[in-house]
Amino acid sequence: KKGEGAKRKRPGPKEAKAKAKVKGKGKRNPTKEGDGLGNADARAQNASSFSSILPTGGFNLGLGSLAKSKVGASVSAYEDYHKFDGGKETKEAKKARYADMVNKYYDLATSFYEYAWGDCFHFAHRLRGETLRESIKRHEHFLAMKFSPCLQNGKRAKVLDVGCGIGGPAREISAFSGVNVVGLNNNSYQVQRANKITSEKRKSAKAAYKKAPASVLGSCEFVKGDFMKMPFDDNTFDAAYAIEATCHSPVAEDIYKEILRVVKPGGLVAIYEWCLTDKYNSKKAEHRLLKHQIEIGNGLPDIRTTKACKAAMIKAGFEMVEDVDLAECSPVPWYEPLYPSSGYFASLEALSAFKTSPLGASVTHSFCWLLEALKLAPEGTTRVSGVLREGAVGLIEGGKLNAFTPMYFMLGRKPN
């Protein structure tokens, strides 16, 4: 089925041309392999018309790769993956069809993410007095610093960003470290947004990049592909990193093995992983509920523990260099953007987190309802907002109980 990463025989030129025709009209069918209910025309329109003042992406448009008429059906299909009853849920469908589930999630959620978070969809270790944006950049720089020792001086290294989102960290790390970053993403809409934003932001830097010595300024490019079956040869990259992305994989060991395969011997791999901590207790109903809320609100097949992720890295073949839960040593709670502990009006920084806070989410939810009622947003938009709100509730509760962390840091080396 489309979006599931199943192997398919490539059609010949004549077959491909015939498939691209709409019967009886001779027009090209914009639907591509892996789009599910989405299509290239809707994706192009939604990607070019995104506005940061709207959570829905744009007036009278769809979401992600989805046309306006397809959003409601896609929400229903996504929700079916996360059925939850009395603390029990079916995990097999989520794992077996993880690519389809995750693609549906990001087609629906990306515009909301970009509206609230900008181009970097991740949490950060944060110091007191530091703004959220500053902490996000430092969080990315910390990761880049960790994999940098394996890179050769005087040469533009090639680094893989596994699950690159819309490219915010790739753009930052390529400029900060002077490396060429290749971002891999299985969601066509996010790849298109990443290319569009990068093209706009890098226009003024092109001349500087051409004149700069090697290892001073890096570039970034984005590739559509399933990170469980990467479209790269063995030993392609000097290093790799993943920021809150490998949690979408159905099996931890398998994604770590695939990263190991494409990195050169001696290369370092730095990962921020979403994990349950030792404080999580599966016997408690409230703990099982917050786990479910995080999974449905963030497109996850199954959240693993820190111990399970570390064991999977080692079993995959990495030499473990370092591992630490950065949430344990963060002076400001990592969930502060979702739940300002000192109140919304304690500072300008607290007020700036309004969009991501529970109150801001309620306002956004009401706004989505109004746009949907006026037929300016697609049917199902309010349900998407509701799913994201549910995920935020789970994250906040998981953070307060120290039962969940979005920043379990692991650094592994591929043996020589």
Side-chain angles (χ1 to χ4, degrees), residues 32-327:
K32 292 184 177 181
E33 181 71 20
D35 274 347
L37 294 175
N39 65 73
D41 282 355
R43 178 166 57 250
Q45 186 177 26
N46 294 337
S48 63
S49 303
F50 174 82
S51 169
S52 60
I53 64 171
L54 289 171
T56 56
F59 283 121
N60 212 31
L61 295 174
L63 292 173
S65 295
L66 302 166
K68 188 176 180 181
S69 62
K70 301 294 185 181
V71 172
S74 196
V75 179
S76 296
Y78 175 74
E79 289 175 330
D80 283 344
Y81 282 119
H82 292 273
K83 290 179 179 177
F84 186 78
D85 182 24
K88 297 180 181 180
E89 59 181 328
T90 302
K91 298 177 183 177
E92 296 312 311
K94 292 192 291 182
K95 289 187 175 183
R97 302 183 61 191
Y98 73 92
D100 183 65
M101 181 194 70
V102 175
N103 254 320
K104 280 183 170 63
Y105 174 77
Y106 279 115
D107 269 337
L108 296 167
T110 297
S111 292
F112 287 84
Y113 272 29
E114 194 171 352
Y115 164 75
W117 289 85
D119 62 355
C120 296
F121 305 159
H122 65 83
F123 295 100
H125 178 279
R126 190 169 169 188
L127 304 175
R128 298 198 182 280
E130 192 174 42
T131 66
L132 176 61
R133 189 61 186 166
E134 288 170 344
S135 69
I136 284 174
K137 285 181 178 289
R138 184 171 58 77
H139 203 58
E140 294 165 357
H141 295 172
F142 174 87
L143 201 71
M145 178 193 72
K146 290 295 185 178
F147 67 68
S148 292
C150 72
L151 307 181
Q152 298 178 23
N153 292 327
K155 176 187 174 184
R156 272 202 184 100
K158 192 173 184 180
V159 177
L160 176 64
D161 181 336
V162 181
C164 63
I166 59 172
R171 287 184 287 274
E172 183 65 29
I173 287 174
S174 66
F176 173 76
S177 301
V179 297
N180 290 342
V181 176
V182 176
L184 180 67
N185 193 324
N186 204 25
N187 183 265
S188 297
Y189 175 74
Q190 288 201 341
V191 171
Q192 191 151 347
R193 282 296 296 159
N195 282 321
K196 179 175 174 58
I197 297 168
T198 301
S199 176
E200 292 172 349
K201 288 193 172 186
R202 288 293 174 93
K203 282 179 182 177
S204 60
K206 282 184 179 179
Y209 175 76
K210 290 179 181 178
K211 292 180 181 179
S215 300
V216 174
L217 279 174
S219 67
C220 51
E221 60 180 294
F222 305 97
V223 175
K224 165 75 167 68
D226 184 350
F227 63 17
M228 300 298 288
K229 286 171 275 191
M230 297 186 190
F232 308 117
D233 293 333
D234 296 357
N235 308 319
T236 296
F237 298 95
D238 298 290
Y241 67 88
I243 300 177
E244 302 181 17
T246 49
C247 51
H248 290 295
S249 68
V251 182
E253 184 183 342
D254 290 352
I255 178 61
Y256 299 155
K257 279 182 178 178
E258 189 65 355
I259 297 173
L260 184 81
R261 179 184 69 79
V262 301
V263 172
K264 295 175 182 178
L268 290 169
V269 173
I271 296 175
Y272 287 136
E273 191 68 85
W274 277 33
C275 291
L276 299 172
T277 71
D278 291 340
K279 301 285 181 65
Y280 177 80
N281 186 346
S282 61
K283 294 181 180 179
K284 293 184 177 181
E286 61 269 32
H287 283 221
R288 295 196 302 272
L289 177 59
L290 71 86
K291 177 178 180 290
H292 166 73
Q293 289 172 325
I294 294 172
E295 287 170 353
I296 188 174
N298 295 277
L300 307 182
D302 187 27
I303 311 176
R304 297 170 278 265
T305 65
T306 54
K307 289 180 179 178
C309 285
K310 181 177 180 179
M313 275 282 281
I314 295 171
K315 194 173 180 181
F318 282 99
E319 296 172 353
M320 186 62 74
V321 177
E322 182 182 359
D323 73 292
V324 61
D325 181 3
L326 295 177

